[in-house]
Structure formats: structure tokens, C-alpha cells
């Protein structure tokens, strides 16, 4: 292999822990700072970083360390096992998000029912006792600090890296409502009504639970983006029947070498690309060409890995194996298409990078206007601040554009 080919390489890293387009920018910035990296493209929908490097010594371990230093993770595995490892990581994340969402429902549901019933005077005078506020606190706290803990972690990572992501909006909005409610509950317990008589524990809990539902749907959508590649990879047989001396041995597909003589029987998939030596058959190549009619094969004809042998047995000599086969090239092209960024996606990333600071400024301005100029109470102004923070949280901004481009 020419030295230039060794020096200029492309590595694909599955990234974990990203929650929005701002996380994409953080990971890209961390990788670009690594010596030897010439170009980086991180796709939020596929959760993959495509890294171009011009250093013969720079490898996955160094790049993974750079990603981990800014608070994110990298799925590391052998190339043959990478898809399985990535799929397992996504399944684990789906299980986690499902557990957190239903935990939120279990606490936020009764809390919401209790709060609404009290507000609409459907309960007796006992519902306005100070201990009921602390009951609401007990229901809201697990949602705030267990279900919503990911948002605090994401906020810390983001702020530590000098940026503000969507997690900051969620954590800030829910925390303001929760903290204000704790102060009001304490004041009411000691007989003071100066801060108002209404707590907003259900607001904080519902904010986190509903956004966690969005996160759950997002994780499911991300899992489906890799389905096309997994379906292509499933076309490859796991083993190949290779002639060694006077014997036919069944060996793992990754152990087939160029020049090996491979035997294929009727109804089997051809394991690798090659040239037919003896025998005749008809082969279904629709997975590659789209042509439904089988193609007749005779000695000297080329056969393509992952296509289906319909009739007749034959032997062929392997000419392309591993990443050089036609199927591997198709998979590589699909990955490149999914990992590339269209101009509209780059625009979305730039908007997201300044969106959060702008929203925080607008939320504070809203609070001050309603409190100082309009003359509303601190509670009313606080509710409007929370509304701006949470409603403006476009968690789908980082996902919608790349997903639309991929489809």
C-alpha cells in the first residue's frame, strides 16, 4: 500500500451521550483540536463521527480520548463487530430512556392529578394544608433528580466546554419552577404568604416527563436510521465452504483470503466476490442490480458476494474479500451518504449554536418585563420565564434535518 494511503485515512467513530446539535459542535471542536486531524463531520441522527486524518500514528484510541475529555463516549470494537456493538449501545440507551420515562409518569401522573384537583376545588379544605405541598415535593423530587438527572449532567458538560445546549434550557426551566416551589412551601409552613400560596411542583415534573418522552421517541428514531445498513449486512453469510487439499472446510467468512477456492451449493448465498472456475448455475443478483430474473453463470463469469445461488453447484476463486467486496462498497457508500452534511444541515447546526444563549437572554428579559414593567407578581413573571425556556427548547432541531436528509 502506498505511504500516502497509510497516512491519509478516514475513521468512523460511533459517539454516545450526544443530546442535541450543540453536542455535535462540541465533539467536532474537540476532534479538530487533535493533531493530525484534517476534517471532521459528526452526524447527530446516526451518532457517528467521520474523521479524516493525515498522521500515520494517530488512531482510534487517541480520538476516543479526545471525545471522552469533553464528556462524551465512543463505542470501540473490531470493525467486524462494530455494527453489533453500536446496536447494543442503542438498545441499552432505549431501555434506559424507557425506564426513566415510565418512572416519570409514575410520579408526575399522581402529582398532576392532585394539583389540578386542588386548583379546581375538587378536594376538601385539607388539600390546602401545608403538608400537601410537601407531599407534592415528595412526588416531584424523584422526577427532578432521577428522571431529569441526565439534563443536569448534559448541562454541566456543555457549560464546562464553554457552550450552552438544549439540556441547559430544560434543567434551568424545571429547576426554577422546582426551587421556587420549595421556597413557597417552606414559607407557607411557617405561616408566611408573602411569596404566594401556589406551588408549581407539577410544572417542573411535567416539563421533565414530557421532554423525556420526546427523548425516548428520538432514541427510537435514531435506532431506525441504521436499519438499512443492518439489513444489507444481514445478506452476508456467516461462513464459507473453502477447498483445502482434498477437503471442503466450512470457515468463518472473515477468514476467507483472496485466491481461495470456494464451493457454493443451490440455495446458498455466495460469500465473497470471485470468478467461477467450474460448474454452471443461475444467480439472483437483485440485491445489487434490482433485476428480478436470475443471471446464468458459467466458467469465467464473475460472481458477487451476498447474491443468491438459485440452481446448480459450482466452485469459484475469491478475488475480493472483506471490505473490498461489492456489498462492502455499497455499505460504505450508504454510510458516507448518511454521515455527510447537506448545506441545510450545516445551517441548522449554526443556528443551534447561538440559539440557547439567545433564548436565555429572552427568558430573563421576559421575567423582568412582567415583574418590573407590567407589575405582575414574581410568581407570574417566573411562570413566563419558565415557559420561554421550555417551549423554546427545539430538541428536534438537531435531529430533524439529518434524518430528513438521510431518508
Amino acid at each position: 500500500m502506498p505511504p500516502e494511503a497509510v497516512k491519509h485515512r478516514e475513521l468512523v467513530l460511533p459517539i454516545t451521550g450526544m443530546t442535541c446539535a450543540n453536542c455535535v459542535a462540541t465533539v467536532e471542536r474537540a476532534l479538530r483540536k487533535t493533531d493530525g486531524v484534517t476534517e471532521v463531520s459528526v452526524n447527530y441522527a446516526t451518532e457517528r463521527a467521520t474523521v479524516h486524518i493525515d498522521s500515520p500514528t494517530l488512531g482510534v484510541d487517541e480520538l476516543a480520548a479526545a471525545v471522552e475529555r469533553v464528556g462524551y463516549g465512543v463505542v470501540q470494537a473490531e470493525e467486524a463487530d462494530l455494527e453489533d456493538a453500536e446496536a447494543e449501545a442503542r438498545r441499552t440507551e432505549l431501555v434506559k430512556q424507557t425506564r426513566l420515562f415510565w418512572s416519570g409518569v409514575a410520579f408526575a401522573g399522581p402529582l398532576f392529578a392532585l394539583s389540578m384537583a386542588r386548583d379546581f376545588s375538587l378536594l376538601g379544605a385539607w388539600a390546602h394544608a401545608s403538608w400537601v405541598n410537601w407531599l407534592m415535593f415528595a412526588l416531584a423530587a424523584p422526577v427532578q433528580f432521577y428522571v431529569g438527572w441526565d439534563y443536569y449532567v448534559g448541562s454541566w458538560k456543555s457549560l464546562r466546554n464553554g457552550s450552552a445546549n438544549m439540556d441547559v434550557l430544560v434543567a434551568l426551566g424545571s429547576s426554577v419552577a422546582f426551587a421556587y416551589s420549595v421556597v413557597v412551601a417552606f414559607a407557607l409552613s411557617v405561616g408566611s404568604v408573602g411569596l404566594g400560596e401556589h406551588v408549581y411542583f407539577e410544572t417542573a415534573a411535567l416539563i421533565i416527563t414530557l421532554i423525556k418522552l420526546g427523548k425516548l421517541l428520538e432514541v427510537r428514531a435514531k435506532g431506525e436510521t441504521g436499519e438499512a445498513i443492518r439489513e444489507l449486512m444481514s445478506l452476508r453469510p456467516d461462513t464459507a465452504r473453502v477447498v483445502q487439499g482434498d477437503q471442503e472446510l466450512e470457515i468463518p467468512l472473515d477468514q476467507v483470503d483472496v485466491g481461495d477456492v470456494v464451493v457454493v451449493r443451490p440455495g446458498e448465498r455466495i460469500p465473497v466476490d470471485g470468478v467461477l472456475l467450474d460448474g454452471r448455475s443461475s444467480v439472483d443478483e437483485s440485491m445489487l442490480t434490482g433485476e428480478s430474473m436470475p443471471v446464468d453463470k458459467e466458467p469465467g463469469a464473475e460472481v458477487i458476494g451476498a447474491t443468491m445461488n438459485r440452481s446448480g453447484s459450482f466452485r469459484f476463486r475469491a478475488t475480493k474479500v472483506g471490505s473490498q467486496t461489492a456489498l462492502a462498497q455499497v455499505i460504505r457508500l450508504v454510510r458516507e451518504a448518511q454521515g455527510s452534511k447537506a448545506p441545510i444541515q450545516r445551517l441548522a447546526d449554526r443556528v443551534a449554536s447561538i440559539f440557547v444563549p439567545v433564548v436565555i437572554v429572552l427568558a430573563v428579559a421576559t421575567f423582568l418585563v412582567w415583574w418590573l414593567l407590567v407589575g405582575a407578581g414574581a410568581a407570574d413573571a417566573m411562570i413566563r420565564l419558565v415557559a420561554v425556556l421550555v417551549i423554546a427548547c427545539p430538541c428536534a432541531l438537531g435531529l430533524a434535518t439529518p434524518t430528513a436528509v438521510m431518508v
Side-chain angles (χ1 to χ4, degrees), residues 19-24 43-45 164-166 169 214 218 222 341 344-357 359 391-405:
T19 59
C20 67
N22 293 73
C23 301
V24 169
N43 190 300
Y44 180 50
N165 63 7
M166 306 306 171
L169 295 182
E218 176 185 309
K222 286 181 179 179
K341 287 189 177 182
I344 186 65
Q345 186 176 340
R346 296 184 187 276
L347 174 62
D349 289 348
R350 286 197 296 271
V351 170
S353 66
I354 63 171
F355 187 85
V356 175
V359 168
I391 293 175
C393 180
C395 295
L397 179 62
L399 183 66
T401 304
T403 301
V405 169

Side-chain angles (χ1 to χ4, degrees), residues 14 45-48 80-91 94 219-238 269 287 306 327 330-332 334-335 338 406:
T46 62
E47 295 185 304
R48 283 174 173 253
D81 302 325
L82 188 58
E83 285 292 334
D84 291 337
E86 190 176 4
E88 180 60 31
R90 290 192 173 181
R91 280 194 294 269
L94 180 59
V219 170
R220 286 183 177 176
K222 286 181 179 179
E224 292 173 358
T225 60
E227 193 62 33
I229 289 179
R230 284 193 289 273
E231 288 180 358
L232 284 173
M233 295 186 68
S234 68
L235 297 175
R236 299 184 302 192
D238 296 325
R269 287 196 179 274
M287 54 77 61
L327 178 63
V330 170
I331 293 174
R332 180 182 61 82
V334 172
R335 282 176 175 165
Q338 290 184 344
M406 288 167 57

Side-chain angles (χ1 to χ4, degrees), residues 112-259:
F112 177 73
L114 175 61
S115 178
M116 292 299 101
R118 183 172 74 170
D119 290 347
F120 286 103
S121 301
L122 300 179
L123 303 176
W126 63 268
H128 296 276
S130 61
W131 66 266
V132 176
N133 293 330
W134 292 111
L135 173 60
M136 292 182 177
F137 167 82
L139 291 171
V143 180
Q144 190 72 31
F145 300 110
Y146 172 64
V147 179
W149 185 249
D150 286 348
Y151 299 114
Y152 288 104
V153 173
S155 299
W156 166 245
K157 290 179 183 177
S158 176
L159 295 174
R160 186 183 65 180
N161 293 314
S163 62
N165 63 7
M166 306 306 171
D167 291 340
V168 174
L169 295 182
V170 179
L172 191 57
S174 61
S175 296
V176 168
F178 184 85
Y180 176 82
S181 298
V182 170
V183 173
V184 171
F186 181 80
L188 292 175
S189 296
V190 297
S192 173
V193 295
L195 296 175
E197 300 182 55
H198 195 286
V199 293
Y200 297 94
F201 288 118
E202 84 288 351
T203 301
L206 283 175
I207 286 171
I208 291 176
T209 302
L210 291 175
I211 293 181
K212 186 59 69 174
L213 172 61
K215 180 65 177 179
L216 174 60
L217 297 176
E218 176 185 309
V219 170
R220 286 183 177 176
K222 286 181 179 179
E224 292 173 358
T225 60
E227 193 62 33
I229 289 179
R230 284 193 289 273
E231 288 180 358
L232 284 173
M233 295 186 68
S234 68
L235 297 175
R236 299 184 302 192
D238 296 325
T239 60
R241 192 176 295 103
V242 176
V243 176
Q244 293 185 358
D246 296 331
Q247 295 182 317
E248 293 181 4
L249 300 179
E250 193 164 321
I251 63 174
L253 184 62
D254 57 5
Q255 294 182 14
V256 178
D257 295 323
V258 173

Side-chain angles (χ1 to χ4, degrees), residues 296-320:
D296 293 334
K297 300 291 182 180
E298 57 185 23
E302 291 186 353
V303 291
I304 302 172
T307 55
M308 178 67 72
N309 179 30
R310 290 299 185 188
S311 62
S313 298
F314 60 86
R315 299 192 307 164
F316 73 94
R317 188 177 303 280
T319 57
K320 294 179 181 179

Side-chain angles (χ1 to χ4, degrees), residues 31-65:
L31 290 171
R32 285 196 184 99
K33 291 180 180 178
T34 306
D35 292 337
V37 173
T38 59
E39 184 181 349
V40 179
S41 178
V42 179
N43 190 300
Y44 180 50
T46 62
E47 295 185 304
R48 283 174 173 253
T50 303
V51 187
H52 296 266
I53 60 179
D54 62 2
S55 170
T57 58
L58 185 61
V60 173
D61 292 339
E62 292 80 4
L63 296 174

